[in-house]
Amino acid sequence: MEKMDLNLIGHLEELRKRLIITLATFVVFFLIAFYYIRDLYEWFIQDFPIKLAVLGPSDILWVYLLLSSVVALAGTIPVAAYQIWLFVRPALHEHERKVTLAYIPALFILFILGISMGYFLIFPIVLDFLLSLSGDMFMEFFTVEKYFRFMISMTLPFGFLFELPVVIMFLTSIGVLNPYRLQKTRKYAYFFLIVTSVLITPPDFLSDVLVIVPLLLLYECSVVLSKVVYRRRKGGQAPCPNRFV
């Protein structure tokens, strides 16, 4: 019993260490982004023809915090993934360590691809469509908060959702998931993804469709990749799949 308590304390201390390193990394990237916030702001609005307005001093601070947090989040992802890998490394076999370590750069690359797709493809389509609905009926007036809140809602979720295949491959490689379990829970996963899409997107049908379709395709790609990882794992000297369950 005492040995189990010592092991638990050791795991908690290790977890605290990894969390502190991740948080410190986020703070460093946040401060760097905060320093260059004017350049970031000018880059984001360079192609937007309408001058943005603020309704109060707090809106200015809100933009500073929002943009700095997004940049810090993107920079922290590979560090956080590496810290997670270090935390679970003792429970992995040698070949599992090499395979799972390769997922770390993939997480960062897919995150950048996801937000790039959202920013350069989905966001302009939805914005142009919504503006076309106004026609000559309304005077277009955008506040900084509304504009960036809309932009983030159309870009940041794609960064996280594009990481779904790599996360599922990682969990499959360590025995937490398998493709057959993913297939059995497909309808529940679809329901969750659809509800998530509706919640994170603006309240219009086009936005929902543009987010739901890629999500469902990502899930199906994740199932296929999980099958590949599962077969390779079963073909090698893999540990018991229930080791982490």
Side-chain angles (χ1 to χ4, degrees), residues 172-230:
T172 302
S173 65
I174 64 176
V176 175
L177 289 179
N178 63 65
Y180 308 106
R181 186 180 301 174
L182 294 173
Q183 290 175 338
K184 289 180 180 179
T185 59
R186 177 182 277 113
K187 59 181 180 181
Y188 302 107
Y190 275 21
F191 176 78
F192 174 78
L193 293 175
I194 291 173
V195 171
T196 302
S197 302
V198 172
L199 292 176
I200 65 176
T201 55
D204 63 273
F205 179 74
L206 178 62
S207 302
D208 295 337
V209 172
L210 289 175
V211 175
I212 289 173
V213 173
L215 282 187
L216 299 184
L217 292 177
L218 280 173
Y219 184 81
E220 293 302 324
C221 290
S222 301
V223 174
V224 174
L225 293 173
S226 179
K227 287 182 179 180
V228 174
V229 174
Y230 186 75

Side-chain angles (χ1 to χ4, degrees), residues 155-174:
T155 55
L156 191 59
F158 282 98
F160 292 110
L161 297 171
F162 262 57
E163 296 182 344
L164 182 63
V166 176
V167 172
I168 289 181
M169 289 174 65
F170 172 75
L171 295 177
T172 302
S173 65
I174 64 176

